[in-house]
Amino acid sequence: MKELRSVIKIVTLEKKDILLSILFGFLAGISAVGLFGSSGYLISRAALLPPLYALTVLIAFLKLFGFARAIGRYAERYYSHRATFTMLSNIRLAVYEKIEPHAPRIFQKYRSGDLLSRIVGDVESLQNFFLRVYYPPVVMVIIFLATIAFTTIFSLGMAVILLVGLILTGFLIPIFFAWKQRKIENEVREARGYLSTDVTEFLYGFRDLKIYQQLDDQQHQLGRSASAYITEQEREGKQRMQTQSVNTFITLLVSWVVLGFGAYIVETGDLNGIFLAMLVMISLTVFENAAPMAVLPSHLEDSERASKRLFDLTEDVREDQGSTVLEGSKARGFTFNKVSFRFPDDRLNSLKNVELTIAPGSKTAIVGPSGSGKSTLMQLLLKIHPVTSGELLVDNWKVDEVEQESLWNGVNVVLQENHFFYGTIRDNLQIAKDELSDDEMVQVLAKVELEQFSLDEQVFEKGENLSGGEKQRLAIARAMLRGERVWLLDEPTSSVDALTEQHIFGHLFEQAADDTVVLISHRLTGLEQMDQIVVMEDGQVVEVGTYEELMALKGYFYQMKQIEKSVIG
Amino acid sequence: MKHLSRVAYAQRKLIWLLVLASLLIGATIIGQAYFFVAIVEDVFLNDQSFQGVIPLMIGLFLVLAGRAFFTWLNGRTGVSLASKAKRHFRGKIIDKFAKNPVQASLQGQSGRKVSVLMDSVDEIDGYYTSYIPQMIQTAIIPVMILVVVFTHHLYSGIIMVITAPFIPFFMAIVGIMTQKKSEEQMEKLSAFSGRFLDTLQGLTTLKLFGRSKQQKEVIEETSLGFRDATMNVLKVAFVSSLMLEFISMLSIGIIALEIAIRLVIYESIPYFSAFFILVLAPEFYLTLKDFGSAFHTGRGSTGAANQLIDELEKEEQVIEWGTRELQATHPPQISLTDLSYQYNEASSFRLSSLQARVDSGSNVAIVGRSGSGKTTLLHLISGLMRPESGAVEVNGRPLSDYKEPSWFGELSYISQSPYLFSGTIADNIAIGGKGEHTRDEIEVAAEKAGISDLIASLEHGYDTPVGEAGRGLSGGEKQRLALARAFLKRPSVILFDEPTTGLDLRTEQILQQSIKELSKTATVITVAHRLHTIREADQILFLEKGKLVATGRHEELLESVHEYRNMVTIQQGGDTA
């Protein structure tokens, strides 16, 4: 139950709807008992040829119970479902709120596809928590207690039989079958997982599969996992049918015992025969309320699992500890003092003893082969990861003490992978800043040479309909629109041809004339104007200097340049 | 609905089993009422001793056991039916996805497609597990009860016959109303699922731009919108069951009143019959009402069913292939004849009237600024997409004349982001080859692609799992893996989308060398981003805005084409310092 604490807290917020659900659930259940009990009594009474008015009163009662049951059922359903869906919305928000502070660090731990299937799926499955787990037992127990109390008026023994029946069908049998069902459900889940992986791979790897002529194999594989999933589902379904049937049989059996016992005590004179039909009818009806208990354990377990996964997502992801708020839009400087960094699961340091000063308003290029730690360096600047040892200063504040959000508020970032949302170009640009006019956006689109795009042009999920270069240029446009004074650019033009790159950088450096710019560059060209070039190799800064200094030095940069020339020339 | 039921009735054996189970359930319902009434009558009115009713009690017990058993049989058959149907539909959807051209698979909403295959198929379950069995029960059990009631008391039977039609009539009206609503809801649901994924995937971007807090509102808005949509559908369902309840209650009331009057005032009906009818009447209406709720489940499945059918009936350009074998004794010659392509009507981009010839074994570079149509052209040449008009000709024959395996068997396509399949590194290299390959061959290919050192440094070497469930690879490593696939295959046509993202210098070198090596025995078409590649090319196709502006060698184009010179000298210009 511990796992469910967060969910229960959220559910309990909907107090009014919960109470109404229970109240009307009870009303509906007890009216049904009343309805059938009184009809049993009515018919017995009628056999004794009573005066018509007595029958009329009874029939009026019958109608009353009938109406109460129908309306109670309606209201119960209405309020319980409303509570459920409000609750789901709250859970989604709660989960999002929980994850949001930990992004993007949390994505290091999970792939976002996983997050999606977890959140969407788990939240959906929690809808059964309230509907099938939380309130039905309460309703059932109250109805049974009321019914049993009523039965004691006629026969204590019969009340005991009902109580035993309740314990059997409400608790023991469901628990027994839940235990049996658990294994099957695990297998269903597993099979579903395999299918989902295969489908994803099939759809996302489609082009490669097609060309490698592996599509048929993969399709068969997919067919097999689809078939395995259905087989498991079928087993589960049959098992469920068995559980239900056994439970039904037991409830029928209890009523059978009630009838037999009733017949016996009528003979011994402990019960007036006129009540026999009524009591059997009551017994048959009251056990209808125990039926939901058959499915409760498996829903409980599902809910526990879902809840645990949802609310454990952010465990062992460190919270932002910073409290210093960076005020204002300002060209800031950065200082690395013997900074080392190691990814949590790695054995070796990714950055080793980095010493580097990035002066406010300066232009820094970082170059080096892929895997040399350039992007990691930038992630430290953005406080996406904490420094493992050494000290990183933003202006004069230690980065650990700076509030992450205020740091991000002051930077224009272009990452290697930039996300674009399903919507229009306008939607995607407006993320940059509030109150952007269409004019501004159109102007910036022209600067990144995307004037052929209208602001209303559709962007697909993840920008799938845009080419790599278009995505990068849109990301640069977004950074330009943001207009802050620190630019952190991670290979922003790697998919853009040289000519376009030159134009775009022309505009970018014009806008950033007085700003701090840190540019991770995939090319060694066009670096002449930079204030400093930082050359990295294997997590270390191997050279720092201006273009001319480094070329004169004839060191690592010079050699890279020679190789690049020979490659291009 | 039609599609769903057709699948059900194809399963004759199961349907007959359902009919049989329903008949038996009907019999046990009637039996239960009979024994129950008989026992009460004996004990209460006839003052039978307990011993006297024991045979009846045994009878009742058997009937109850039978009822539980046949209900189980019925439910179980429904589950089998559902499994058969789900298997059928999922298989068809998979077939459909497999036939989609590449463009369709790129056209976004892959999440939605996953959801169609996973969730929509699961959602039709209710149609088979509850709707169909219940429909059969409803066709059988009430009739059985009616027959029994008629034999006991004509007037009660008549009341039942008159009142019963109100229930299906009412249900039909409600059903039509809910169907529309549930379809709306399905759309909202899938839109929502896409939206949420998108938000999560973009969380880093949102956070960097300080927008993540605002997304909460979006999530809340969509969630509550979803709730309201669902409640709207449910409310109709709830109201309808309320109404059905009223109808059946009223009907039972009329029967009870009629019987009571006959029993008490006219004394024209035996007590047994009166009681018997009164016990049976609720069962009669209950079956009809159960059909009501099953009907809603069935309707609920229609939304999902429509999504399935939509997906199945979506018109896609099917890529047809011919029957010719591609003779690979020498690298093929490829021509573009008046080749045109447009993604869709609305798209502003169009590849128009391309005319070019790529000689056997030659090395051709497609050059142009980004967005000029280079990758689209490569897709057309690869046969993954079909031109709108004109043709790609291979050895003088349209590409579509050849057998698909024959063409792809000769082709390697090295894209900018090769896909990593979940499996080991060895599996991932072998997937690019032809048929079975020994570990030795794989290792040789990896060696050639300059990735063997890296693999050797891994704890599990070639058996290291990668992809979905394993280690990720860097861009450079993926490129080299793709090269290893090509070395294993030794194709006679290579289509190469040269990476633009910064690879490490070593990978750069390896790429150059490898392509050179591979091109000795192949016709190579490269979307080129490197001057080196361009200079080496036998022929350059220079594209601008979807048009082929010029063809020729590098030096020729430098001299004669202004735009080309502009584009290339920038790169060189920055380089001469």
Side-chain angles (χ1 to χ4, degrees):
Chain A
M1 279 310 240
K2 194 182 90 225
E3 289 84 7
L4 283 167
R5 213 181 306 139
S6 310
V7 175
I8 291 174
K9 231 176 8 196
I10 293 170
V11 171
T12 316
L13 287 177
E14 303 303 312
K15 276 199 190 66
K16 201 184 105 203
D17 280 357
I18 295 175
L19 286 178
L20 287 173
S21 305
I22 293 176
L23 177 70
F24 284 112
F26 172 70
L27 181 71
I30 205 71
S31 311
V33 173
L35 176 65
F36 282 92
S38 53
S39 72
Y41 179 66
L42 171 76
I43 190 74
S44 303
R45 196 62 216 256
L48 301 179
L49 305 182
L52 194 59
Y53 74 86
L55 276 189
T56 318
V57 170
L58 263 173
I59 287 177
F61 253 105
L62 223 62
K63 295 288 110 175
L64 190 70
F65 280 130
F67 273 103
R69 178 176 72 152
I71 288 170
R73 193 66 72 208
Y74 171 81
E76 179 201 1
R77 283 174 176 169
Y78 180 82
Y79 288 113
S80 62
H81 281 81
R82 196 176 70 173
T84 295
F85 288 108
T86 316
M87 182 197 104
L88 286 189
S89 166
N90 291 335
I91 290 177
R92 273 185 205 113
L93 274 184
V95 171
Y96 184 78
E97 273 169 21
K98 212 164 162 160
I99 293 172
E100 189 265 345
H102 300 287
R105 222 174 286 170
I106 195 169
F107 294 120
Q108 234 80 44
K109 210 176 142 201
Y110 304 100
R111 290 192 313 271
S112 66
D114 274 1
L115 275 183
L116 168 92
S117 65
R118 278 176 183 210
I119 292 169
V120 175
D122 286 344
V123 170
E124 288 306 311
S125 77
L126 280 177
Q127 67 174 276
N128 288 321
F129 176 67
F130 181 69
L131 278 181
R132 316 251 179 265
V133 177
Y134 188 90
Y135 88 94
V138 180
V139 171
M140 177 195 78
V141 169
I142 302 177
I143 293 171
F144 264 93
L145 289 182
T147 309
I148 291 171
F150 178 74
T151 316
T152 51
I153 299 172
F154 303 95
S155 157
L156 197 60
M158 214 163 266
V160 172
I161 295 172
L162 289 185
L163 188 65
V164 170
L166 165 70
I167 292 167
L168 271 176
T169 57
F171 300 100
L172 295 182
I173 295 173
I175 288 169
F176 173 71
F177 278 108
W179 172 73
K180 271 184 79 174
Q181 189 92 353
R182 179 176 299 180
K183 211 180 130 232
I184 299 182
E185 277 177 6
N186 275 332
E187 276 155 19
V188 172
R189 240 189 317 277
E190 221 167 79
R192 187 181 164 87
Y194 288 133
L195 176 61
S196 155
T197 309
D198 283 345
V199 175
T200 310
E201 191 150 273
F202 187 77
L203 289 171
Y204 286 94
F206 191 81
R207 179 173 66 187
D208 294 55
L209 288 169
K210 183 90 186 163
I211 288 169
Y212 299 134
Q213 294 284 289
Q214 302 286 342
L215 205 58
D216 287 349
D217 284 353
Q218 190 73 18
Q219 193 186 340
H220 287 141
Q221 162 76 25
L222 185 55
R224 274 196 300 277
S225 49
S227 172
Y229 174 46
I230 290 172
T231 308
E232 291 301 332
Q233 273 182 325
E234 188 172 357
R235 267 181 64 200
E236 187 199 14
K238 286 182 175 167
Q239 173 75 44
R240 198 175 51 237
M241 281 304 151
Q242 196 191 342
T243 311
Q244 273 173 17
S245 306
V246 170
N247 226 358
T248 311
F249 180 62
I250 300 291
T251 59
L252 290 173
L253 200 63
V254 172
S255 300
W256 182 77
V257 173
V258 166
L259 179 59
F261 179 71
Y264 178 72
I265 58 176
V266 168
E267 191 193 2
T268 59
D270 294 319
L271 178 71
N272 187 340
I274 196 168
F275 297 119
L276 183 60
M278 177 186 79
L279 289 171
V280 178
M281 288 294 226
I282 284 177
S283 162
L284 279 170
T285 313
V286 76
F287 279 101
E288 280 171 17
N289 293 293
M293 295 303 284
V295 292
L296 186 142
S298 69
H299 286 301
L300 175 65
E301 207 190 318
D302 278 352
S303 304
E304 275 176 352
R305 193 171 321 131
S307 168
K308 184 169 162 44
R309 275 200 305 231
L310 283 174
F311 291 94
D312 281 359
L313 273 177
T314 51
E315 243 173 43
D316 37 273
V317 178
R318 247 180 56 177
E319 286 262 8
D320 180 27
Q321 304 288 334
S323 56
T324 306
V325 177
L326 300 176
E327 303 274 359
S329 182
K330 192 174 152 203
R332 298 185 190 281
F334 300 88
T335 314
F336 288 81
N337 287 328
K338 290 198 179 312
V339 170
S340 293
F341 173 73
R342 184 163 52 83
F343 281 101
D345 294 330
D346 280 4
R347 279 177 304 152
L348 300 173
N349 280 345
S350 299
L351 290 178
K352 297 160 195 161
N353 277 322
V354 173
E355 290 276 355
L356 182 64
T357 307
I358 297 167
S362 70
K363 312 286 177 282
T364 301
I366 304 176
V367 299
S370 91
S372 61
K374 303 186 301 272
S375 297
T376 311
L377 194 79
M378 185 160 287
Q379 284 167 353
L380 293 193
L381 286 177
L382 280 168
K383 209 189 167 185
I384 290 174
H385 303 295
V387 169
T388 308
S389 70
E391 190 182 54
L392 170 56
L393 301 177
V394 180
D395 282 349
N396 292 318
W397 293 284
K398 280 189 185 163
V399 76
D400 299 343
E401 291 160 9
V402 171
E403 193 202 36
Q404 204 176 35
E405 219 175 291
S406 73
L407 178 65
W408 291 349
N409 279 339
V411 294
N412 313 319
V413 185
V414 178
L415 298 172
Q416 283 188 19
E417 298 276 338
N418 299 284
H419 189 84
F420 295 94
F421 297 89
Y422 191 79
T424 60
I425 297 273
R426 182 186 287 104
D427 297 337
N428 276 290
L429 289 179
Q430 272 172 341
I431 289 171
K433 202 164 71 178
D434 290 327
E435 290 164 16
L436 284 170
S437 71
D438 279 8
D439 273 356
E440 284 174 88
M441 288 188 264
V442 169
Q443 272 174 25
V444 170
L445 278 181
K447 283 185 185 168
V448 297
E449 307 209 349
L450 286 177
E451 53 274 87
Q452 73 271 27
F453 280 159
S454 84
L455 292 176
D456 296 315
E457 192 123 348
Q458 272 292 316
V459 176
F460 290 160
E461 196 179 283
K462 280 163 108 184
E464 268 174 327
N465 57 335
L466 302 172
S467 75
E470 285 165 348
K471 276 195 263 193
Q472 287 190 328
R473 284 184 280 165
L474 266 185
I476 294 171
R478 208 150 62 176
M480 284 175 157
L481 284 168
R482 186 150 169 88
E484 292 298 334
R485 305 282 314 277
V486 177
W487 301 70
L488 300 179
L489 312 168
D490 191 353
E491 308 198 346
T493 51
S494 56
S495 299
V496 178
D497 62 88
L499 182 64
T500 312
E501 176 186 58
Q502 205 186 33
H503 284 163
I504 294 174
F505 275 157
H507 290 296
L508 195 150
F509 280 101
E510 188 185 302
Q511 189 185 337
D514 301 320
D515 304 346
T516 309
V517 178
V518 180
L519 167 72
I520 295 180
S521 177
H522 64 292
R523 286 182 193 144
L524 304 181
T525 51
L527 300 181
E528 293 83 351
Q529 309 93 316
M530 304 303 281
D531 296 320
Q532 63 175 349
I533 299 169
V534 179
V535 185
M536 296 195 65
E537 195 216 7
D538 196 24
Q540 284 166 313
V541 173
V542 290
E543 280 170 17
V544 181
T546 63
Y547 184 80
E548 269 149 34
E549 285 165 8
L550 291 182
M551 289 305 277
L553 192 68
K554 300 213 178 224
Y556 196 91
F557 182 78
Y558 177 82
Q559 285 169 27
M560 279 171 65
K561 192 71 193 168
Q562 295 311 307
I563 294 171
E564 188 185 81
K565 264 191 194 168
S566 75
V567 168
I568 291 177
Chain B
M1 281 303 237
K2 258 196 319 219
H3 296 270
L4 295 187
S5 60
R6 210 181 299 143
V7 174
Y9 291 114
Q11 302 295 332
R12 299 214 162 265
K13 241 171 76 187
L14 292 179
I15 295 291
W16 280 115
L17 202 55
L18 285 176
V19 170
L20 181 70
S22 298
L23 280 168
L24 293 168
I25 291 172
T28 56
I29 287 175
I30 293 164
Q32 182 186 335
Y34 172 84
F35 284 115
F36 173 52
V37 170
I39 293 168
V40 170
E41 191 193 27
D42 273 2
V43 173
F44 166 49
L45 287 182
N46 305 341
D47 292 327
Q48 260 293 356
S49 68
F50 181 66
Q51 267 79 17
V53 295
I54 283 179
L56 287 175
M57 284 299 289
I58 293 171
L60 180 61
F61 180 85
L62 291 177
V63 165
L64 293 179
R67 186 169 183 178
F69 177 78
F70 298 127
T71 309
W72 170 77
L73 183 67
N74 197 57
R76 192 189 148 85
T77 312
V79 171
S80 300
L81 191 62
S83 300
K84 291 231 157 69
K86 285 189 288 186
R87 229 176 268 270
H88 167 84
F89 279 108
R90 199 165 271 143
K92 280 185 98 168
I93 292 270
I94 292 173
D95 278 348
K96 174 80 184 179
F97 284 166
K99 289 201 185 80
N100 275 353
V102 166
Q103 183 52 27
S105 85
L106 293 179
Q107 217 138 50
Q109 307 288 339
S110 290
R112 188 194 169 99
K113 283 191 170 169
V114 173
S115 133
V116 168
L117 187 70
M118 302 289 298
D119 304 329
S120 299
V121 173
D122 277 351
E123 274 161 36
I124 60 170
D125 189 275
Y127 183 85
Y128 300 98
T129 50
S130 88
Y131 175 74
I132 296 236
Q134 191 62 50
M135 198 177 66
I136 292 172
Q137 282 190 18
T138 306
I140 292 172
I141 298 176
V143 178
M144 292 172 74
I145 294 177
L146 212 53
V147 169
V148 173
V149 169
F150 265 113
T151 57
H152 279 267
H153 188 62
L154 179 68
Y155 296 102
S156 303
I158 291 173
I159 294 171
M160 282 184 177
V161 170
I162 292 170
T163 51
F166 281 101
I167 290 180
F169 173 70
F170 197 79
M171 247 155 38
I173 295 174
V174 174
I176 291 162
M177 282 162 63
T178 29
Q179 183 176 16
K180 243 188 158 160
K181 288 203 165 164
S182 99
E183 275 162 25
E184 280 169 20
Q185 189 226 336
M186 279 302 285
E187 268 166 38
K188 279 192 184 166
L189 174 65
S190 56
F192 177 73
S193 125
R195 215 28 210 280
F196 206 56
L197 168 65
D198 212 22
T199 306
L200 288 174
Q201 283 171 332
L203 199 51
T204 306
T205 301
L206 288 168
K207 282 209 80 173
L208 289 175
F209 284 99
R211 297 286 164 168
S212 55
K213 297 273 189 302
Q214 290 170 7
Q215 282 298 313
K216 272 188 227 165
E217 286 158 31
V218 176
I219 291 172
E220 185 165 26
E221 219 173 274
T222 31
S223 287
L224 292 181
F226 179 69
R227 175 193 72 181
D228 296 340
T230 315
M231 285 310 290
N232 278 337
V233 178
L234 289 176
K235 230 167 20 190
V236 179
F238 296 162
V239 168
S240 84
S241 66
L242 179 72
M243 289 328 233
L244 294 183
E245 190 104 337
F246 282 155
I247 293 175
S248 72
M249 219 168 61
L250 207 65
S251 312
I252 297 174
I254 295 171
I255 295 171
L257 195 67
E258 191 256 354
I259 287 180
I261 290 169
R262 286 196 192 268
L263 187 67
V264 178
I265 299 175
Y266 298 103
E267 296 182 40
S268 62
I269 179 172
Y271 175 76
F272 179 88
S273 297
F275 196 1
F276 191 41
I277 289 168
L278 263 195
V279 173
L280 278 180
E283 297 276 7
F284 176 78
Y285 292 102
L286 186 69
T287 324
L288 291 179
K289 271 192 302 178
D290 278 350
F291 179 65
S293 54
F295 190 76
H296 284 296
T297 319
R299 281 288 181 204
S301 304
T302 347
N306 285 345
Q307 282 201 329
L308 291 180
I309 303 307
D310 277 357
E311 194 60 53
L312 287 174
E313 286 176 355
K314 214 180 262 175
E315 286 279 333
E316 302 275 17
Q317 176 204 28
V318 178
I319 296 194
E320 303 282 354
W321 290 90
T323 52
R324 287 183 83 85
E325 289 289 345
L326 180 65
Q327 297 304 323
T329 44
H330 55 91
Q333 174 267 324
I334 298 169
S335 311
L336 312 179
T337 54
D338 213 18
L339 189 70
S340 296
Y341 186 82
Q342 190 165 24
Y343 284 100
N344 56 49
E345 304 276 308
S347 162
S348 49
F349 174 79
R350 184 183 156 85
L351 205 60
S352 49
S353 302
L354 265 52
Q355 199 82 35
R357 185 188 154 87
V358 178
D359 290 330
S360 163
S362 71
N363 194 343
V364 169
I366 304 172
V367 178
R369 301 170 65 173
S370 61
S372 60
K374 300 184 299 263
T375 305
T376 307
L377 178 56
L378 210 59
H379 274 147
L380 287 169
I381 296 173
S382 71
L384 291 171
M385 294 185 336
R386 278 290 138 89
E388 178 187 294
S389 64
V392 173
E393 290 183 357
V394 177
N395 291 340
R397 291 261 171 193
L399 184 56
S400 53
D401 281 3
Y402 292 99
K403 277 187 183 167
E404 183 180 354
S406 170
W407 167 246
F408 283 124
E410 286 304 322
L411 179 79
S412 274
Y413 187 120
I414 302 168
S415 68
Q416 291 204 30
S417 53
Y419 190 82
L420 274 186
F421 297 94
S422 61
T424 65
I425 291 186
D427 295 341
N428 263 288
I429 295 175
I431 201 172
K434 299 173 185 163
E436 296 296 310
H437 291 280
T438 63
R439 176 56 70 87
D440 276 350
E441 288 173 298
I442 290 171
E443 286 180 14
V444 168
E447 177 79 47
K448 286 204 164 121
I451 198 176
S452 53
D453 290 349
L454 172 89
I455 298 172
S457 77
L458 299 171
E459 194 183 336
H460 299 290
Y462 284 86
D463 297 318
T464 307
V466 290
E468 279 281 311
R471 186 180 187 276
L473 296 181
S474 77
E477 289 161 353
K478 276 195 216 168
Q479 282 292 330
R480 285 188 248 167
L481 192 88
L483 281 176
R485 289 171 177 169
F487 274 115
L488 193 64
K489 188 172 193 172
R490 284 288 176 179
S492 62
V493 179
I494 294 173
L495 302 179
F496 178 33
D497 199 347
E498 197 170 44
T500 42
T501 26
L503 298 173
D504 55 292
L505 291 175
R506 178 154 158 68
T507 305
E508 290 276 358
Q509 282 173 316
I510 289 168
L511 271 179
Q512 307 281 1
Q513 287 163 10
S514 302
I515 294 291
K516 201 164 185 174
E517 160 95 27
L518 286 165
S519 68
K520 285 178 189 158
T521 52
T523 305
V524 179
I525 300 177
T526 306
V527 169
H529 298 287
R530 282 162 186 65
L531 210 55
H532 171 83
T533 318
I534 296 171
R535 289 189 145 177
E536 296 277 297
D538 301 320
Q539 188 189 196
I540 290 161
L541 307 180
F542 183 50
L543 288 182
E544 270 216 325
K545 294 184 180 139
K547 291 205 170 56
L548 184 60
V549 180
T551 57
R553 287 189 61 94
H554 179 61
E555 296 78 19
E556 295 163 19
L557 292 183
L558 267 186
E559 263 177 41
S560 59
V561 184
H562 171 70
E563 287 285 346
Y564 182 81
R565 190 166 50 238
N566 244 357
M567 189 181 142
V568 173
T569 44
I570 291 297
Q571 175 138 11
Q572 271 194 315
D575 209 56
T576 47

